[in-house]
């Protein structure tokens, strides 16, 4: 049975999609079968693994809104052990369209339940909001990774996110846990980055990942080539850190 992990933060630009793509590819390289689900209307995770959607191709929107089977929407990527359920811009309207649906919080869970036994990990890339799509992801997941940028307001957004997770856990998904807080865009040259790391590791103690993701040129370049960084430049610092994160997650889930 696959472990289902949502990657979420209502703030944009914190490294959610970068983490979703590169963690998924790194797990795949460690011989884990991985399904990446792109629920963000920007569909950057989809393009980030080199997948483009044909006009008649199914996406996560069709799964959520039209009850299309997840299996029919899954696309194999060219990367080892990695499949994706693509996103597209129609997901921008999905929150509104889901509002009137029966079991609106559990649409994604129902779809994933039909395929999760075929994968070791299911990674959900959430949009930068706490709307119905993200709530669907939380209801479908076993745990949540919360990426936060090493910047001044990092902890402020995190407290709102943890409150939402607690509410979901209390009312809709009692087994939901925090997989970990992931510090991203770390720059060891700045005092602020070092302070944020210290603060988060003190505040979240056991919930903070040991792996910290640095600012890295190769990480920024890789998406424009439709490749995870471990395929774009396997010797880069970004690739090394996502390999470490994958190893940490596998170890935590033994």
């Amino acid at each position: 049975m696959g472990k289902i992990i949502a990657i979420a933060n209502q703030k944009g630009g914190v490294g959610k999609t970068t983490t979703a793509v590169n963690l998924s590819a790194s797990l795949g390289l460690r011989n884990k079968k991985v399904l990446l689900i792109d629920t963000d209307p920007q569909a950057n995770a989809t393009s980030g693994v080199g997948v483009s959607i044909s006009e008649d191709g199914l996406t996560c929107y069709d799964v959520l809104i039209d009850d299309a089977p997840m299996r029919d929407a899954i696309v194999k990527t060219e990367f080892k052990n990695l499949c994706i359920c693509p996103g597209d811009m129609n997901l921008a309207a999905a929150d509104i369209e889901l509002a009137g649906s029966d079991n609106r919080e559990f649409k994604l869970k129902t779809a994933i339940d039909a395929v999760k036994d075929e994968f070791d990990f299911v990674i959900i890339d959430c949009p930068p909001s706490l709307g119905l799509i993200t709530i669907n992801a939380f209801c479908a997941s076993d745990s949540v990774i919360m990426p936060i940028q090493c910047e001044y307001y990092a902890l402020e957004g995190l407290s709102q996110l943890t409150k939402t997770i607690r509410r979901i856990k209390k009312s809709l998904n009692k087994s939901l846990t925090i997989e970990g807080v992931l510090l991203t865009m770390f720059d060891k040259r700045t005092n602020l980055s070092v302070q944020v790391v210290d603060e988060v590791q003190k505040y979240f103690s056991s919930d903070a990942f040991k792996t910290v993701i640095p600012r890295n040129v190769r990480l920024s370049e890789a998406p424009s080539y439709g490749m995870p960084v471990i395929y774009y430049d396997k010797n880069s610092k970004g690739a090394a850190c996502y390999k470490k994160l994958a190893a940490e997650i596998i170890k935590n889930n033994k």
Side-chain angles (χ1 to χ4, degrees), residues 39-132:
T39 68
D40 189 338
Q42 295 174 86
N44 290 334
T46 303
S47 60
V49 293
V51 170
S52 53
I53 306 304
S54 61
E55 270 189 41
D56 56 349
L58 295 175
T59 70
C60 193
Y61 173 83
D62 301 294
V63 171
L64 284 168
I65 303 304
D66 297 328
D67 296 323
M70 176 71 75
R71 187 172 280 104
D72 293 350
I74 290 173
V75 177
K76 280 187 178 178
T77 75
E78 63 184 90
F79 308 110
K80 185 178 178 182
N81 292 319
L82 180 57
C83 293
I84 186 167
C85 175
D88 72 339
M89 61 185 179
N90 290 322
L91 284 162
D95 270 351
I96 296 165
E97 292 178 63
L98 280 170
S101 302
D102 295 334
N103 293 318
R104 61 187 185 177
E105 298 93 350
F106 297 100
K107 291 277 194 177
L108 191 57
K109 175 178 169 50
T110 302
I112 293 172
D113 281 350
V115 299
K116 69 180 180 183
D117 290 346
E118 298 167 30
F119 298 94
D120 297 302
F121 287 93
V122 177
I123 306 293
I124 307 172
D125 184 30
C126 295
S129 70
L130 294 176
L132 265 174

Side-chain angles (χ1 to χ4, degrees), residues 170-228:
K170 188 176 178 183
S171 58
L172 295 168
N173 181 2
K174 290 180 169 45
S175 61
L176 186 65
T177 62
I178 293 172
E179 186 74 28
V181 176
L182 178 67
L183 286 148
T184 64
M185 304 179 200
F186 174 72
D187 186 345
K188 65 182 179 184
R189 297 168 301 178
T190 68
N191 287 334
L192 180 59
S193 275
V194 175
Q195 285 168 7
V196 171
V197 169
D198 289 345
E199 191 89 357
V200 168
Q201 289 180 339
K202 191 192 315 172
Y203 187 76
F204 285 94
S205 57
S206 61
D207 283 333
F209 285 111
K210 292 184 180 72
T211 307
V212 175
I213 307 299
R215 282 194 183 277
N216 181 250
V217 172
R218 292 292 191 246
L219 266 179
S220 303
E221 290 174 349
S224 62
Y225 292 87
M227 299 170 79

